[in-house]
PDB file of all heavy atoms in Angstrom:
ATOM      1  N   GLY F  68       0.781  -1.162  -0.044  1.00 95.00           N
ATOM      2  CA  GLY F  68      -0.012  -0.009   0.039  1.00 95.00           C
ATOM      3  C   GLY F  68       0.776   1.264   0.079  1.00 95.00           C
ATOM      4  O   GLY F  68       0.239   2.352  -0.041  1.00 95.00           O
ATOM      5  N   ARG F  69       2.143   1.190   0.067  1.00 96.00           N
ATOM      6  CA  ARG F  69       3.035   2.437   0.150  1.00 96.00           C
ATOM      7  C   ARG F  69       3.343   2.824  -1.331  1.00 96.00           C
ATOM      8  O   ARG F  69       3.733   1.978  -2.195  1.00 96.00           O
ATOM      9  CB  ARG F  69       4.224   2.145   0.862  1.00 96.00           C
ATOM     10  CG  ARG F  69       4.110   1.742   2.300  1.00 96.00           C
ATOM     11  CD  ARG F  69       3.728   2.808   3.307  1.00 96.00           C
ATOM     12  NE  ARG F  69       2.380   3.256   3.242  1.00 96.00           N
ATOM     13  CZ  ARG F  69       1.312   2.758   3.771  1.00 96.00           C
ATOM     14  NH1 ARG F  69       1.268   1.564   4.299  1.00 96.00           N
ATOM     15  NH2 ARG F  69       0.117   3.432   3.727  1.00 96.00           N
ATOM     16  N   TYR F  70       3.247   4.079  -1.582  1.00 95.00           N
ATOM     17  CA  TYR F  70       3.542   4.683  -2.958  1.00 95.00           C
ATOM     18  C   TYR F  70       5.009   5.043  -3.097  1.00 95.00           C
ATOM     19  O   TYR F  70       5.654   4.994  -4.138  1.00 95.00           O
ATOM     20  CB  TYR F  70       2.763   5.870  -3.304  1.00 95.00           C
ATOM     21  CG  TYR F  70       1.287   5.558  -3.427  1.00 95.00           C
ATOM     22  CD1 TYR F  70       0.384   5.778  -2.496  1.00 95.00           C
ATOM     23  CD2 TYR F  70       0.837   4.875  -4.685  1.00 95.00           C
ATOM     24  CE1 TYR F  70      -1.063   5.473  -2.593  1.00 95.00           C
ATOM     25  CE2 TYR F  70      -0.526   4.547  -4.718  1.00 95.00           C
ATOM     26  CZ  TYR F  70      -1.389   4.907  -3.764  1.00 95.00           C
ATOM     27  OH  TYR F  70      -2.687   4.535  -3.952  1.00 95.00           O
ATOM     28  N   ALA F  71       5.716   5.238  -1.977  1.00 96.00           N
ATOM     29  CA  ALA F  71       7.087   5.629  -2.007  1.00 96.00           C
ATOM     30  C   ALA F  71       7.982   4.334  -2.426  1.00 96.00           C
ATOM     31  O   ALA F  71       7.655   3.190  -2.130  1.00 96.00           O
ATOM     32  CB  ALA F  71       7.600   5.824  -0.545  1.00 96.00           C
ATOM     33  N   ASP F  72       8.997   4.638  -3.233  1.00 96.00           N
ATOM     34  CA  ASP F  72       9.831   3.687  -3.722  1.00 96.00           C
ATOM     35  C   ASP F  72      10.734   3.039  -2.635  1.00 96.00           C
ATOM     36  O   ASP F  72      11.163   1.924  -2.740  1.00 96.00           O
ATOM     37  CB  ASP F  72      10.784   4.174  -4.853  1.00 96.00           C
ATOM     38  CG  ASP F  72      10.007   4.488  -6.113  1.00 96.00           C
ATOM     39  OD1 ASP F  72       8.951   3.826  -6.288  1.00 96.00           O
ATOM     40  OD2 ASP F  72      10.447   5.322  -6.976  1.00 96.00           O
ATOM     41  N   THR F  73      11.015   3.787  -1.561  1.00 98.00           N
ATOM     42  CA  THR F  73      11.780   3.336  -0.486  1.00 98.00           C
ATOM     43  C   THR F  73      11.002   3.482   0.779  1.00 98.00           C
ATOM     44  O   THR F  73      10.454   4.518   1.082  1.00 98.00           O
ATOM     45  CB  THR F  73      13.060   4.195  -0.327  1.00 98.00           C
ATOM     46  OG1 THR F  73      13.850   4.093  -1.588  1.00 98.00           O
ATOM     47  CG2 THR F  73      13.997   3.679   0.879  1.00 98.00           C
ATOM     48  N   VAL F  74      10.918   2.354   1.588  1.00 98.00           N
ATOM     49  CA  VAL F  74      10.229   2.331   2.803  1.00 98.00           C
ATOM     50  C   VAL F  74      11.220   1.814   3.902  1.00 98.00           C
ATOM     51  O   VAL F  74      11.834   0.672   3.711  1.00 98.00           O
ATOM     52  CB  VAL F  74       8.934   1.434   2.837  1.00 98.00           C
ATOM     53  CG1 VAL F  74       8.363   1.414   4.190  1.00 98.00           C
ATOM     54  CG2 VAL F  74       8.001   1.871   1.706  1.00 98.00           C
ATOM     55  N   VAL F  75      11.451   2.544   4.920  1.00 98.00           N
ATOM     56  CA  VAL F  75      12.386   2.135   5.959  1.00 98.00           C
ATOM     57  C   VAL F  75      11.438   1.780   7.221  1.00 98.00           C
ATOM     58  O   VAL F  75      10.690   2.690   7.758  1.00 98.00           O
ATOM     59  CB  VAL F  75      13.403   3.256   6.355  1.00 98.00           C
ATOM     60  CG1 VAL F  75      14.381   2.593   7.410  1.00 98.00           C
ATOM     61  CG2 VAL F  75      14.169   3.593   5.110  1.00 98.00           C
ATOM     62  N   LEU F  76      11.558   0.603   7.782  1.00 98.00           N
ATOM     63  CA  LEU F  76      10.894   0.199   8.939  1.00 98.00           C
ATOM     64  C   LEU F  76      11.795  -0.325   9.993  1.00 98.00           C
ATOM     65  O   LEU F  76      12.752  -1.097   9.749  1.00 98.00           O
ATOM     66  CB  LEU F  76       9.898  -0.888   8.611  1.00 98.00           C
ATOM     67  CG  LEU F  76       8.729  -0.559   7.713  1.00 98.00           C
ATOM     68  CD1 LEU F  76       7.915  -1.707   7.207  1.00 98.00           C
ATOM     69  CD2 LEU F  76       7.761   0.530   8.336  1.00 98.00           C
ATOM     70  N   SER F  77      11.537   0.137  11.232  1.00 98.00           N
ATOM     71  CA  SER F  77      12.401  -0.497  12.295  1.00 98.00           C
ATOM     72  C   SER F  77      11.914  -1.925  12.631  1.00 98.00           C
ATOM     73  O   SER F  77      10.841  -2.226  12.257  1.00 98.00           O
ATOM     74  CB  SER F  77      12.330   0.389  13.521  1.00 98.00           C
ATOM     75  OG  SER F  77      10.859   0.336  14.151  1.00 98.00           O
ATOM     76  N   PHE F  78      12.668  -2.580  13.254  1.00 98.00           N
ATOM     77  CA  PHE F  78      12.212  -4.051  13.619  1.00 98.00           C
ATOM     78  C   PHE F  78      10.918  -3.937  14.521  1.00 98.00           C
ATOM     79  O   PHE F  78       9.966  -4.712  14.249  1.00 98.00           O
ATOM     80  CB  PHE F  78      13.366  -4.671  14.498  1.00 98.00           C
ATOM     81  CG  PHE F  78      14.391  -5.312  13.743  1.00 98.00           C
ATOM     82  CD1 PHE F  78      14.622  -4.983  12.382  1.00 98.00           C
ATOM     83  CD2 PHE F  78      15.278  -6.249  14.344  1.00 98.00           C
ATOM     84  CE1 PHE F  78      15.612  -5.553  11.647  1.00 98.00           C
ATOM     85  CE2 PHE F  78      16.307  -6.766  13.603  1.00 98.00           C
ATOM     86  CZ  PHE F  78      16.562  -6.406  12.313  1.00 98.00           C
ATOM     87  N   LYS F  79      10.871  -2.926  15.382  1.00 98.00           N
ATOM     88  CA  LYS F  79       9.633  -2.706  16.204  1.00 98.00           C
ATOM     89  C   LYS F  79       8.437  -2.457  15.324  1.00 98.00           C
ATOM     90  O   LYS F  79       7.347  -2.988  15.592  1.00 98.00           O
ATOM     91  CB  LYS F  79       9.799  -1.542  17.239  1.00 98.00           C
ATOM     92  CG  LYS F  79       8.720  -1.133  17.934  1.00 98.00           C
ATOM     93  CD  LYS F  79       8.237  -2.228  18.979  1.00 98.00           C
ATOM     94  CE  LYS F  79       7.071  -1.697  19.895  1.00 98.00           C
ATOM     95  NZ  LYS F  79       5.764  -2.446  19.684  1.00 98.00           N
ATOM     96  N   GLN F  80       8.515  -1.578  14.282  1.00 98.00           N
ATOM     97  CA  GLN F  80       7.489  -1.303  13.438  1.00 98.00           C
ATOM     98  C   GLN F  80       6.971  -2.585  12.687  1.00 98.00           C
ATOM     99  O   GLN F  80       5.829  -2.814  12.498  1.00 98.00           O
ATOM    100  CB  GLN F  80       7.840  -0.215  12.476  1.00 98.00           C
ATOM    101  CG  GLN F  80       7.923   1.171  13.019  1.00 98.00           C
ATOM    102  CD  GLN F  80       8.561   2.153  12.050  1.00 98.00           C
ATOM    103  OE1 GLN F  80       9.570   1.928  11.429  1.00 98.00           O
ATOM    104  NE2 GLN F  80       7.889   3.350  11.941  1.00 98.00           N
ATOM    105  N   ILE F  81       8.019  -3.430  12.231  1.00 97.00           N
ATOM    106  CA  ILE F  81       7.657  -4.601  11.579  1.00 97.00           C
ATOM    107  C   ILE F  81       6.891  -5.571  12.547  1.00 97.00           C
ATOM    108  O   ILE F  81       5.920  -6.202  12.158  1.00 97.00           O
ATOM    109  CB  ILE F  81       8.925  -5.343  11.036  1.00 97.00           C
ATOM    110  CG1 ILE F  81       9.539  -4.398   9.880  1.00 97.00           C
ATOM    111  CG2 ILE F  81       8.606  -6.755  10.491  1.00 97.00           C
ATOM    112  CD1 ILE F  81      10.895  -4.865   9.468  1.00 97.00           C
ATOM    113  N   GLU F  82       7.411  -5.683  13.808  1.00 97.00           N
ATOM    114  CA  GLU F  82       6.757  -6.400  14.616  1.00 97.00           C
ATOM    115  C   GLU F  82       5.354  -6.000  15.024  1.00 97.00           C
ATOM    116  O   GLU F  82       4.403  -6.769  15.178  1.00 97.00           O
ATOM    117  CB  GLU F  82       7.520  -6.478  16.088  1.00 97.00           C
ATOM    118  CG  GLU F  82       8.872  -7.300  15.944  1.00 97.00           C
ATOM    119  CD  GLU F  82       9.699  -7.226  17.078  1.00 97.00           C
ATOM    120  OE1 GLU F  82       9.652  -6.275  17.947  1.00 97.00           O
ATOM    121  OE2 GLU F  82      10.533  -8.082  17.207  1.00 97.00           O
ATOM    122  N   ASP F  83       5.037  -4.709  14.987  1.00 97.00           N
ATOM    123  CA  ASP F  83       3.745  -4.160  15.014  1.00 97.00           C
ATOM    124  C   ASP F  83       2.821  -4.612  13.883  1.00 97.00           C
ATOM    125  O   ASP F  83       1.669  -4.962  14.030  1.00 97.00           O
ATOM    126  CB  ASP F  83       3.653  -2.662  15.188  1.00 97.00           C
ATOM    127  CG  ASP F  83       4.292  -2.124  16.566  1.00 97.00           C
ATOM    128  OD1 ASP F  83       4.387  -2.950  17.534  1.00 97.00           O
ATOM    129  OD2 ASP F  83       4.531  -0.915  16.596  1.00 97.00           O
ATOM    130  N   LEU F  84       3.370  -4.617  12.772  1.00 97.00           N
ATOM    131  CA  LEU F  84       2.712  -4.977  11.611  1.00 97.00           C
ATOM    132  C   LEU F  84       2.345  -6.468  11.501  1.00 97.00           C
ATOM    133  O   LEU F  84       1.331  -6.895  11.066  1.00 97.00           O
ATOM    134  CB  LEU F  84       3.411  -4.607  10.210  1.00 97.00           C
ATOM    135  CG  LEU F  84       3.614  -3.143   9.958  1.00 97.00           C
ATOM    136  CD1 LEU F  84       4.623  -2.813   8.903  1.00 97.00           C
ATOM    137  CD2 LEU F  84       2.199  -2.592   9.545  1.00 97.00           C
ATOM    138  N   ILE F  85       3.255  -7.256  11.981  1.00 96.00           N
ATOM    139  CA  ILE F  85       3.061  -8.790  12.007  1.00 96.00           C
ATOM    140  C   ILE F  85       2.314  -9.237  13.338  1.00 96.00           C
ATOM    141  O   ILE F  85       2.142 -10.422  13.496  1.00 96.00           O
ATOM    142  CB  ILE F  85       4.358  -9.537  11.685  1.00 96.00           C
ATOM    143  CG1 ILE F  85       5.329  -9.403  12.836  1.00 96.00           C
ATOM    144  CG2 ILE F  85       4.902  -9.096  10.397  1.00 96.00           C
ATOM    145  CD1 ILE F  85       6.637 -10.246  12.805  1.00 96.00           C
ATOM    146  N   ASP F  86       2.124  -8.314  14.214  1.00 95.00           N
ATOM    147  CA  ASP F  86       1.461  -8.544  15.475  1.00 95.00           C
ATOM    148  C   ASP F  86       2.197  -9.608  16.229  1.00 95.00           C
ATOM    149  O   ASP F  86       1.582 -10.581  16.778  1.00 95.00           O
ATOM    150  CB  ASP F  86      -0.007  -8.860  15.222  1.00 95.00           C
ATOM    151  CG  ASP F  86      -0.797  -8.811  16.498  1.00 95.00           C
ATOM    152  OD1 ASP F  86      -0.489  -7.985  17.411  1.00 95.00           O
ATOM    153  OD2 ASP F  86      -1.887  -9.519  16.664  1.00 95.00           O
ATOM    154  N   GLY F  87       3.527  -9.611  16.413  1.00 95.00           N
ATOM    155  CA  GLY F  87       4.358 -10.494  17.062  1.00 95.00           C
ATOM    156  C   GLY F  87       5.804 -10.205  17.002  1.00 95.00           C
ATOM    157  O   GLY F  87       6.199  -9.219  16.224  1.00 95.00           O
ATOM    158  N   GLN F  88       6.455 -10.936  17.620  1.00 96.00           N
ATOM    159  CA  GLN F  88       8.093 -10.726  17.567  1.00 96.00           C
ATOM    160  C   GLN F  88       8.576 -11.295  16.288  1.00 96.00           C
ATOM    161  O   GLN F  88       8.183 -12.323  15.815  1.00 96.00           O
ATOM    162  CB  GLN F  88       8.741 -11.253  18.854  1.00 96.00           C
ATOM    163  CG  GLN F  88       8.511 -10.496  20.047  1.00 96.00           C
ATOM    164  CD  GLN F  88       9.319 -10.929  21.140  1.00 96.00           C
ATOM    165  OE1 GLN F  88       9.662 -12.235  21.279  1.00 96.00           O
ATOM    166  NE2 GLN F  88       9.655 -10.102  22.119  1.00 96.00           N
ATOM    167  N   LEU F  89       9.692 -10.715  15.811  1.00 95.00           N
ATOM    168  CA  LEU F  89      10.434 -11.270  14.758  1.00 95.00           C
ATOM    169  C   LEU F  89      11.194 -12.465  15.308  1.00 95.00           C
ATOM    170  O   LEU F  89      11.563 -12.425  16.438  1.00 95.00           O
ATOM    171  CB  LEU F  89      11.424 -10.254  14.154  1.00 95.00           C
ATOM    172  CG  LEU F  89      10.861  -9.190  13.250  1.00 95.00           C
ATOM    173  CD1 LEU F  89      11.904  -8.182  13.027  1.00 95.00           C
ATOM    174  CD2 LEU F  89      10.490  -9.787  11.904  1.00 95.00           C
ATOM    175  N   PRO F  90      11.308 -13.452  14.610  1.00 93.00           N
ATOM    176  CA  PRO F  90      12.039 -14.713  15.140  1.00 93.00           C
ATOM    177  C   PRO F  90      13.476 -14.446  15.196  1.00 93.00           C
ATOM    178  O   PRO F  90      14.071 -13.462  14.704  1.00 93.00           O
ATOM    179  CB  PRO F  90      11.770 -15.768  14.053  1.00 93.00           C
ATOM    180  CG  PRO F  90      11.493 -15.037  12.792  1.00 93.00           C
ATOM    181  CD  PRO F  90      10.812 -13.736  13.297  1.00 93.00           C
ATOM    182  N   ALA F  91      14.168 -15.180  16.030  1.00 94.00           N
ATOM    183  CA  ALA F  91      15.588 -14.919  16.381  1.00 94.00           C
ATOM    184  C   ALA F  91      16.535 -14.897  15.089  1.00 94.00           C
ATOM    185  O   ALA F  91      17.336 -14.102  15.011  1.00 94.00           O
ATOM    186  CB  ALA F  91      16.093 -15.980  17.291  1.00 94.00           C
ATOM    187  N   PRO F  92      16.209 -15.768  13.998  1.00 93.00           N
ATOM    188  CA  PRO F  92      16.944 -15.626  12.793  1.00 93.00           C
ATOM    189  C   PRO F  92      16.958 -14.316  12.063  1.00 93.00           C
ATOM    190  O   PRO F  92      17.731 -14.015  11.278  1.00 93.00           O
ATOM    191  CB  PRO F  92      16.414 -16.773  11.933  1.00 93.00           C
ATOM    192  CG  PRO F  92      15.786 -17.717  12.963  1.00 93.00           C
ATOM    193  CD  PRO F  92      15.285 -16.875  13.987  1.00 93.00           C
ATOM    194  N   ALA F  93      15.846 -13.454  12.415  1.00 94.00           N
ATOM    195  CA  ALA F  93      15.711 -12.150  11.734  1.00 94.00           C
ATOM    196  C   ALA F  93      16.773 -11.279  12.206  1.00 94.00           C
ATOM    197  O   ALA F  93      16.946 -10.178  11.575  1.00 94.00           O
ATOM    198  CB  ALA F  93      14.326 -11.511  12.059  1.00 94.00           C
ATOM    199  N   HIS F  94      17.627 -11.637  13.114  1.00 94.00           N
ATOM    200  CA  HIS F  94      18.772 -10.718  13.540  1.00 94.00           C
ATOM    201  C   HIS F  94      20.014 -11.138  12.772  1.00 94.00           C
ATOM    202  O   HIS F  94      21.142 -10.776  13.093  1.00 94.00           O
ATOM    203  CB  HIS F  94      18.934 -10.867  15.068  1.00 94.00           C
ATOM    204  CG  HIS F  94      17.610 -10.317  15.750  1.00 94.00           C
ATOM    205  ND1 HIS F  94      17.443  -9.028  16.016  1.00 94.00           N
ATOM    206  CD2 HIS F  94      16.597 -11.014  16.168  1.00 94.00           C
ATOM    207  CE1 HIS F  94      16.333  -8.874  16.701  1.00 94.00           C
ATOM    208  NE2 HIS F  94      15.760 -10.104  16.811  1.00 94.00           N
ATOM    209  N   PHE F  95      19.853 -11.865  11.650  1.00 93.00           N
ATOM    210  CA  PHE F  95      21.008 -12.211  10.782  1.00 93.00           C
ATOM    211  C   PHE F  95      20.617 -11.814   9.402  1.00 93.00           C
ATOM    212  O   PHE F  95      19.433 -12.027   9.033  1.00 93.00           O
ATOM    213  CB  PHE F  95      21.229 -13.753  10.911  1.00 93.00           C
ATOM    214  CG  PHE F  95      21.712 -14.105  12.271  1.00 93.00           C
ATOM    215  CD1 PHE F  95      20.859 -14.605  13.284  1.00 93.00           C
ATOM    216  CD2 PHE F  95      23.033 -13.974  12.737  1.00 93.00           C
ATOM    217  CE1 PHE F  95      21.181 -14.984  14.516  1.00 93.00           C
ATOM    218  CE2 PHE F  95      23.463 -14.348  14.030  1.00 93.00           C
ATOM    219  CZ  PHE F  95      22.574 -14.882  14.870  1.00 93.00           C
ATOM    220  N   GLU F  96      21.596 -11.368   8.589  1.00 92.00           N
ATOM    221  CA  GLU F  96      21.282 -10.898   7.270  1.00 92.00           C
ATOM    222  C   GLU F  96      20.685 -11.993   6.386  1.00 92.00           C
ATOM    223  O   GLU F  96      19.906 -11.679   5.571  1.00 92.00           O
ATOM    224  CB  GLU F  96      22.579 -10.444   6.595  1.00 92.00           C
ATOM    225  CG  GLU F  96      23.047  -9.093   7.253  1.00 92.00           C
ATOM    226  CD  GLU F  96      23.618  -8.142   6.380  1.00 92.00           C
ATOM    227  OE1 GLU F  96      23.373  -8.257   5.047  1.00 92.00           O
ATOM    228  OE2 GLU F  96      24.255  -7.299   6.793  1.00 92.00           O
ATOM    229  N   GLU F  97      21.100 -13.221   6.555  1.00 89.00           N
ATOM    230  CA  GLU F  97      20.575 -14.376   5.721  1.00 89.00           C
ATOM    231  C   GLU F  97      19.138 -14.394   5.761  1.00 89.00           C
ATOM    232  O   GLU F  97      18.464 -14.788   4.757  1.00 89.00           O
ATOM    233  CB  GLU F  97      21.233 -15.724   6.070  1.00 89.00           C
ATOM    234  CG  GLU F  97      22.700 -15.760   5.994  1.00 89.00           C
ATOM    235  CD  GLU F  97      23.505 -15.092   7.147  1.00 89.00           C
ATOM    236  OE1 GLU F  97      22.931 -14.860   8.216  1.00 89.00           O
ATOM    237  OE2 GLU F  97      24.678 -14.730   6.904  1.00 89.00           O
TER     238      GLU F  97
END
């Protein structure tokens, strides 16, 4: 739904969007 070509989200914002915590592997680039 974003029109901007670049969207920057903090881990906290992502967790709010997914309504839960990011899994531990999300703290690794892979």
Side-chain angles (χ1 to χ4, degrees):
R69 302 285 71 80
Y70 291 105
D72 288 336
T73 302
V74 176
V75 180
L76 295 172
S77 69
F78 281 12
K79 172 69 172 116
Q80 290 170 310
I81 294 169
E82 289 174 338
D83 288 346
L84 290 168
I85 65 171
D86 198 28
Q88 289 189 329
L89 284 167
H94 298 276
F95 298 94
E96 292 218 20
E97 297 80 21

